[in-house]
Amino acid sequence: MDEIINKVAESKLEVFDLEDYYPKGIRTQIDISQWLIEGFLLKEKDFRECLKNHDWKQYQDHFVAIHCSTDAIVPAWASILVAIQLAPFAKKIVDGTLTDLEASLYEELLAKIDYTLYTNKSMIIKGCSKKPVPVRAYVLAAHYLQPHAKSIMYGEACSAVPLYKAPKK
């Protein structure tokens, strides 16, 4: 009987796990439609009054996404006004969904990493995560790794999909 060899454990693949960079903090989505008449009509005076009476302190140190869940046509200044109210309390504010918020957080984080550490290495961008890592983060990770890595794969070491192989020099 031949000895069973774990080729995955012996491989020189370096795992780039986006979950390792996941910023800790509470994510909150604020729906502007709650301050619109029947969720659709923005009446400026009423809207401003609602914002004035809202408890903004509850968003202390939150990552906040501002969006409108209805098909209302909301002027740009409405989201900006909400963001101004949030600014003294929230860690980060984006216009969009929670997915947009996660993408924005990763955009900032991934831009700060020293990718020269991965020069001439075979990389695997880990695909499965327990945290909400948006596709945009994987795309950015590949973009930043490509100029340095010898190869890039996606998934798990046992079933990775090849994405890139540096040309031979």
Side-chain angles (χ1 to χ4, degrees):
M1 200 115 178
D2 291 337
E3 181 183 346
I4 297 172
I5 298 170
N6 184 342
K7 291 181 181 179
V8 172
E10 288 182 0
S11 78
K12 295 188 191 242
L13 281 176
E14 186 131 353
V15 176
F16 190 85
D17 188 350
L18 286 162
E19 205 170 37
D20 292 343
Y21 300 97
Y22 188 80
K24 291 183 170 110
I26 299 168
R27 274 83 167 144
T28 303
Q29 186 165 264
I30 295 179
D31 186 355
I32 287 180
S33 70
Q34 68 181 309
W35 299 308
L36 304 179
I37 298 168
E38 295 183 17
F40 287 96
L41 182 65
L42 188 147
K43 187 174 174 189
E44 184 178 350
K45 184 178 177 189
D46 294 349
F47 184 77
R48 287 180 179 275
E49 190 62 30
C50 288
L51 297 185
K52 182 180 162 193
N53 295 323
H54 190 74
D55 176 19
W56 297 103
K57 290 178 188 162
Q58 67 181 306
Y59 306 106
Q60 186 68 48
D61 297 325
H62 287 214
F63 298 111
V64 182
I66 303 168
H67 83 116
C68 183
S69 64
T70 66
D71 290 332
I73 298 171
V74 180
W77 63 260
S79 293
I80 297 167
L81 192 56
V82 172
I84 286 171
Q85 297 297 320
L86 280 166
F89 308 103
K91 280 187 189 178
K92 179 163 186 70
I93 306 162
V94 300
D95 179 57
T97 63
L98 287 173
T99 301
D100 296 322
L101 174 63
E102 293 299 345
S104 179
L105 290 169
Y106 272 107
E107 285 169 6
E108 287 178 8
L109 292 166
L110 291 174
K112 295 176 185 174
I113 295 172
D114 178 10
Y115 292 93
T116 60
L117 302 171
Y118 305 109
T119 300
N120 296 321
K121 295 196 177 175
S122 296
M123 301 299 302
I124 184 163
I125 300 172
K126 187 175 180 222
C128 295
S129 64
K130 294 174 182 80
K131 295 184 170 65
V133 178
V135 173
R136 197 177 323 170
Y138 292 104
V139 170
L140 273 173
H143 170 75
Y144 285 125
L145 285 168
Q146 186 175 357
H148 305 282
K150 182 166 84 175
S151 65
I152 302 172
M153 295 188 282
Y154 170 81
E156 300 299 319
C158 61
S159 61
V161 176
L163 301 173
Y164 169 77
K165 191 165 196 156
K168 298 209 188 255
K169 294 179 182 178

